[in-house]
Amino acid sequence: MNKPIRGRALPTTALTLALATALTACGGDDSASGARASDTAGTTPAAKVTDPLVATFDGGLYVLDGETLKLTKTIELPGFNRVNPAGDEDHVIVSTDSGFRVLDATGQALTGIEYPGAKPGHVVRHAGKTVLFTDGTGEVNVFDPADLSSGTKPEGRTYTTAEAHHGVAIELAGGDLLTTLGTEEKRTGALVLDENDKEIARNEDCPGVHGEAAARNEAVAVGCEDGVLLYKDGKFTKIDAPDDYGRIGNQAGSDTSPVLLGDYKTDPDAELERPTRISLIDTEKAKLTLVDLGTSYSFRSLARGPEGEALVLGTDGALRVIDPATGDIERKIPAVGAWQEPLDWQQPRPTLFVRGDTAYVSEPAEKALHAIDLTTGKKTTSVTLPERTNELSGVVAGH
């Protein structure tokens, strides 16, 4: 049963969001993940907070109430840290220099549960399982997030790729594991293993493979430098980009839609390309469509709404609501002031996190955080925080 958020019980599909896949789980494009310093958690016992959000800042984590946005706890954790939903009502995964750590966000304290390893990367939630991919070792850890409530490290599946690389993995409903193929120098595609780790499918026609997302009927795609590689009904299908170099590195999926939302870049030599088009990948028709937004965006700009809407936060400050079936931009919701994506992917920029019918948008330049009702398009709450934030996430149950 789903936990009520903002006074309403949300359907499971509403909680199956883009952030469940690759958007906050990985750096923009090919950047290594992780933090670079030791940490100290707050030692003062704190009251539990309902439906918490977690934001990173330079020096630690903020825990906020999901409805009022009140700052309820500051946890010291030096370095560049990353946050992703763990997949239950209470926990968030924190990527640190030493590996993945588990934060009890409702209890507002880091737990003793850790998955050590260099360069912790993607965190993927799908079909009741959470999958961690450690870039520095190639280790994949799969567990049921419900088991985190015991306070001890969950028992789960572990697999190590042939060579360490900046990769991603997802376990499907039947127990098959899809994971990327590559080395530190070159990434080529993906393979699928059965529940006994026996290889059952492979495709290496996906240069620069990066990121993943799942659509309705468990169609899973990984991004390539020339389109996407789709795995559906036990086989791979390549969906080519319209350009020779058409890179899709970050995607967002929804259980309510067969269409995936992706970014789209066409300049392989750019120090930082600021794209103005997004890709919509129809997994039923194996078709890729491009939509011109009239503004640029970043890798933290993509999400999905409760009805499968494609959501993109533009650098003009507007949150675009797009019909994934037609590509029509249905609404532009004022969210933050105009901004520009920084050259360094680890530097703060406005970040979009969606839970149910609420879009949370950070505005680092103003040290602000806003909650927007996606039904009305109105801001319901805004707060100012002590420091400018970088990443933004929260608890999300059901996936």
Side-chain angles (χ1 to χ4, degrees):
M1 202 171 166
N2 296 317
K3 190 172 184 178
I5 294 179
R6 296 183 61 78
R8 294 181 289 277
L10 296 175
T12 298
T13 52
L15 293 171
T16 308
L17 303 172
L19 298 186
T21 54
L23 301 184
T24 59
C26 176
D29 307 327
D30 297 322
S31 309
S33 306
R36 56 174 181 270
S38 61
D39 67 273
T40 55
T43 56
T44 303
K48 290 186 178 296
V49 59
T50 303
D51 303 319
L53 301 172
V54 179
T56 69
F57 66 95
D58 187 8
L61 310 171
Y62 289 137
V63 181
L64 306 102
D65 183 277
E67 184 167 358
T68 65
L69 302 188
K70 178 183 178 182
L71 175 58
T72 60
K73 184 73 172 180
T74 299
I75 299 174
E76 295 180 4
L77 190 61
F80 178 72
N81 302 295
R82 318 208 64 197
V83 286
N84 290 279
D88 68 350
E89 299 176 335
D90 299 311
H91 297 89
V92 166
I93 303 296
V94 184
S95 303
T96 74
D97 185 53
S98 60
F100 295 104
R101 297 190 62 180
V102 177
L103 170 71
D104 180 352
T106 60
Q108 304 172 81
L110 286 162
T111 70
I113 302 173
E114 299 185 46
Y115 292 83
K119 300 179 182 178
H122 283 264
V123 178
V124 174
R125 299 174 297 114
H126 179 74
K129 295 295 177 63
T130 299
V131 183
L132 312 178
F133 194 104
T134 302
D135 294 347
T137 63
E139 184 174 275
V140 177
N141 284 281
V142 184
F143 61 87
D144 184 338
D147 294 339
L148 294 172
S149 61
S150 68
T152 58
K153 190 173 183 176
E155 294 184 4
R157 178 179 188 174
T158 300
Y159 171 78
T160 302
T161 58
E163 294 192 58
H165 64 283
H166 180 47
V168 66
I170 178 173
E171 186 174 275
L172 306 181
D176 293 344
L177 181 72
L178 184 153
T179 183
T180 51
L181 289 164
T183 67
E184 288 187 4
E185 292 77 30
K186 183 179 181 180
R187 303 190 303 276
T188 58
L191 59 78
V192 180
L193 308 167
D194 68 13
E195 58 185 5
N196 298 312
D197 290 344
K198 178 183 177 181
E199 184 176 321
I200 57 176
R202 173 187 289 249
N203 187 295
E204 296 189 55
D205 183 22
C206 186
V209 60
H210 186 272
E212 64 75 43
R216 191 171 67 194
N217 296 326
E218 205 168 49
V220 177
V222 292
C224 315
E225 292 177 347
D226 56 1
V228 297
L229 185 61
L230 177 67
Y231 185 75
K232 182 181 178 183
D233 299 327
K235 64 179 181 180
F236 282 106
T237 301
K238 180 65 176 294
I239 304 176
D240 292 324
D243 299 281
D244 290 339
Y245 182 89
R247 187 179 189 278
I248 299 173
N250 298 280
Q251 310 94 44
S254 168
D255 279 351
T256 67
S257 171
V259 180
L260 298 172
L261 166 66
D263 57 0
Y264 192 75
K265 295 184 176 182
T266 58
D267 185 355
D269 300 318
E271 180 180 9
L272 173 66
E273 183 176 354
R274 296 185 171 97
T276 58
R277 292 182 293 175
I278 51 95
S279 56
L280 296 174
I281 303 102
D282 189 322
T283 62
E284 292 182 345
K285 299 177 181 178
K287 180 181 178 182
L288 188 155
T289 302
L290 300 179
V291 178
D292 195 333
L293 301 179
T295 187
S296 62
Y297 58 92
S298 87
F299 70 96
R300 292 189 189 143
S301 293
L302 309 181
R304 302 301 287 268
E307 305 301 324
E309 312 96 309
L311 305 173
V312 184
L313 178 65
T315 56
D316 61 355
L319 177 61
R320 284 161 173 75
V321 181
I322 302 167
D323 183 337
T326 64
D328 292 338
I329 300 174
E330 298 182 324
R331 286 188 294 164
K332 295 181 183 179
I333 302 172
V336 297
W339 55 282
Q340 184 179 57
E341 182 178 7
L343 289 174
D344 183 351
W345 74 272
Q346 293 188 355
Q347 290 302 305
R349 82 284 309 281
T351 297
L352 173 65
F353 173 70
V354 177
R355 186 169 59 189
D357 56 7
T358 302
Y360 300 95
V361 183
S362 66
E363 190 170 12
E366 303 297 329
K367 300 181 181 178
L369 179 62
H370 312 285
I372 299 171
D373 188 321
L374 289 171
T375 303
T376 64
K378 304 294 185 182
K379 284 185 183 178
T380 57
T381 315
S382 293
V383 295
T384 301
L385 298 169
E387 302 290 341
R388 61 177 187 161
T389 60
N390 198 338
E391 295 214 345
L392 177 65
S393 190
V395 300
V396 177
H399 56 293

